[in-house]
Structure formats: C-alpha cells, structure tokens
C-alpha cells in the first residue's frame, strides 16, 4: 500500500541544470498537486491537475512545468534551476472534492 | 483571495496538558472543508482532523478536537493530554468548493516532559 511516492528524495543541482521530479500514486486519484515548502511560508501550490491530461497553475508556477500524461503520475520539471528554487517539494493527491489530500514524503532539492 | 492565518508561530505545552492552536480564514464561499495537518520532524504530512463547513457539530478524533465558528471564520485545534509525540508543525488548511487547499504558515508545537 504505497500511497503517494516521490522520486528522488534528495537532490543537489547546479544553477542552470534541469531535472524532473516524479510523483506516483496508486489510489486511482483524479486530483494531483505539487507544493513547495519554505521556512516560515507554509506550503504553496505550484501546479495541479484535476485529471489525466489536464494541468493548471497554482500560486507560484514560474520556473516550473508539469505534465500528467498518465493518471497515476504527475511530473514536475525545472528547466533551468535557480537557487531560489531550493526547497522541499511535496506531491499530494485526492480522489474527490470533499476528501483530504494524501501527501508523499517530500523531495529536498538544493540548488547551488 | 482565500487566506489562512495562524497567529501563533510557536507554542509549547507540558506533557499531559491541553493546548489550543488558533486558525482563521477568509473566504466568500459558503461550502468548504477545513483540515489540520501535522508535520513531525520526519517531514511527513499527516491528516489530524477535518471539518465540513455545513456541519454544525465540531469534529473530534481521539485527543484532537476542533472549535469551528463559521460566522467568525475560526477553526482552532485543541489537543488534550498532550504527548511527546505531538511535537510537530501544525498546519491549518481549507478548500473552498473544489479548489486546491490553501495552507496557513504553520504553528510549531513543542511538548515538554
């Protein structure tokens, strides 16, 4: 019973490099979300998806892209990493509108 | 804009005592859902309790209960018989209608032996 799995758990990048964070859920959930967590800021929504093939911008989308080609996967991409993107990234999913979100364990990303 | 305010950045409580964490929110929606999440040092986000705005009765989950005041847009969390394992960051969040969760900035709770 994996729930929401994020890959990788840790990563260090150099400024300008690109990478993709993978989120996979095995609960057949329609909704998926990417957040970033910074000290004193709580969780801020980057992008989200309300179903396979759909994506939408959240509060802080600049510098990130996402794709939801398969229902169970939600990918977050950084095309040209910047130090300001150093953060802990959380993926979450939920099945229906009145259900709580289930979170992955987070990815700690450091950009030097 | 939908906002959530947690006015207590840090709190501490003695083991076995009761503590209340405050949360207020702002929305023009009439139907929404409210949540408290706990984030221990392990960094996991764990659902503590949830409340549906149309329900008058306050939600309870074992030692955790809420005081939901819809007119005042207030949603506080009460932890009874505090335990060392309750030490964590606590986030209040709400979801107006079918939109994504909006989170507060969190309250860091320390339970002292």
């Amino acid at each position: 019973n994996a729930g929401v799995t994020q890959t990788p758990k840790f990563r260090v990048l150099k400024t300008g490099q690109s990478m993709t964070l993978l989120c996979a859920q095995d609960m057949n959930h329609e909704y998926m979300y990417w957040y970033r967590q910074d000290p004193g800021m709580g969780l801020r929504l980057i992008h989200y998806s309300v179903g396979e093939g759909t994506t939408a911008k959240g509060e802080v989308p600049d510098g990130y892209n996402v794709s939801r080609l398969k229902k169970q996967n939600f990918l977050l991409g950084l095309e040209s990493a910047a130090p300001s993107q150093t953060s802990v990234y959380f993926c979450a999913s939920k099945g229906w509108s009145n259900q709580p979100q289930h979170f992955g364990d987070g990815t700690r990303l450091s950009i030097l | 804009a939908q906002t959530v305010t947690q006015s207590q950045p840090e709190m501490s409580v003695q083991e076995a005592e009761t503590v209340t964490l405050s949360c207020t929110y702002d929305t023009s929606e009439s139907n929404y859902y409210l949540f408290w999440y706990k984030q221990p040092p392990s960094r996991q986000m764990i659902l503590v309790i949830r409340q549906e705005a149309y329900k008058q009765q306050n939600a309870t989950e074992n030692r955790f209960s809420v005081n939901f005041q819809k007119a005042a847009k207030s949603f506080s969390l009460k932890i009874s018989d505090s335990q060392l394992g309750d030490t964590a960051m606590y986030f209040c969040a709400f979801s107006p209608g079918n939109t994504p969760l909006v989170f507060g900035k969190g309250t860091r709770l320390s339970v002292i032996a």
Side-chain angles (χ1 to χ4, degrees):
Chain A
N1 190 14
V4 180
T5 303
Q6 291 183 230
T7 309
K9 297 191 183 306
F10 303 96
R11 186 72 182 268
V12 178
L13 289 178
K14 294 181 180 179
T15 298
Q17 287 185 319
S18 63
M19 79 160 295
T20 300
L21 280 64
L22 171 63
C23 176
Q25 52 92 5
D26 62 1
M27 296 171 283
N28 201 34
H29 283 172
E30 291 293 332
Y31 301 86
M32 296 188 75
Y33 309 87
W34 275 108
Y35 295 89
R36 60 178 288 173
Q37 183 179 21
D38 302 294
M41 298 296 292
L43 276 76
R44 294 183 293 169
L45 183 67
I46 305 171
H47 286 280
Y48 65 102
S49 169
V50 299
E52 181 179 321
T54 74
T55 62
K57 294 180 179 180
E59 179 186 356
V60 288
D62 293 343
Y64 305 95
N65 56 74
V66 288
S67 64
R68 182 100 182 268
L69 298 179
K70 294 184 179 180
K71 187 177 183 179
Q72 64 268 32
N73 295 336
F74 195 29
L75 280 64
L76 177 70
L78 286 73
E79 290 187 349
S80 180
S84 61
Q85 295 177 304
T86 292
S87 188
V88 179
Y89 291 84
F90 284 95
C91 177
S93 71
K94 73 174 183 180
W96 300 102
S97 61
N98 63 344
Q99 290 184 339
Q101 293 181 3
H102 297 259
F103 284 84
D105 290 340
T107 295
R108 181 174 295 279
L109 182 61
S110 295
I111 299 162
L112 306 177
Chain B
Q2 327 276 5
T3 59
V4 177
T5 302
Q6 294 181 247
S7 60
Q8 305 148 315
E10 295 188 19
M11 295 189 72
S12 61
V13 62
Q14 293 285 336
E15 198 175 5
E17 296 294 308
T18 295
V19 63
T20 298
L21 309 183
S22 65
C23 172
T24 58
Y25 57 93
D26 187 24
T27 183
S28 57
E29 301 285 338
S30 59
N31 187 28
Y32 48 87
Y33 305 92
L34 296 150
F35 305 88
W36 278 97
Y37 281 88
K38 168 185 176 180
Q39 187 180 42
S42 65
R43 202 173 68 194
Q44 288 180 302
M45 291 289 289
I46 302 165
L47 177 68
V48 175
I49 199 165
R50 70 170 174 170
Q51 173 82 41
E52 288 147 336
Y54 66 87
K55 289 188 177 179
Q56 302 268 354
Q57 188 172 6
N58 289 325
T60 62
E61 287 286 343
N62 300 313
R63 298 182 295 107
F64 298 89
S65 62
V66 298
N67 182 6
F68 175 46
Q69 302 287 332
K70 190 172 184 179
K73 296 181 182 175
S74 171
F75 182 59
S76 61
L77 175 69
K78 185 171 83 171
I79 306 174
S80 304
D81 185 25
S82 297
Q83 301 176 359
L84 296 178
D86 295 333
T87 292
M89 282 289 288
Y90 287 82
F91 292 99
C92 177
F94 89 113
S95 177
N98 196 23
T99 58
L101 280 177
V102 178
F103 284 86
K105 294 184 177 181
T107 295
R108 184 177 303 277
L109 177 67
S110 299
V111 180
I112 303 165

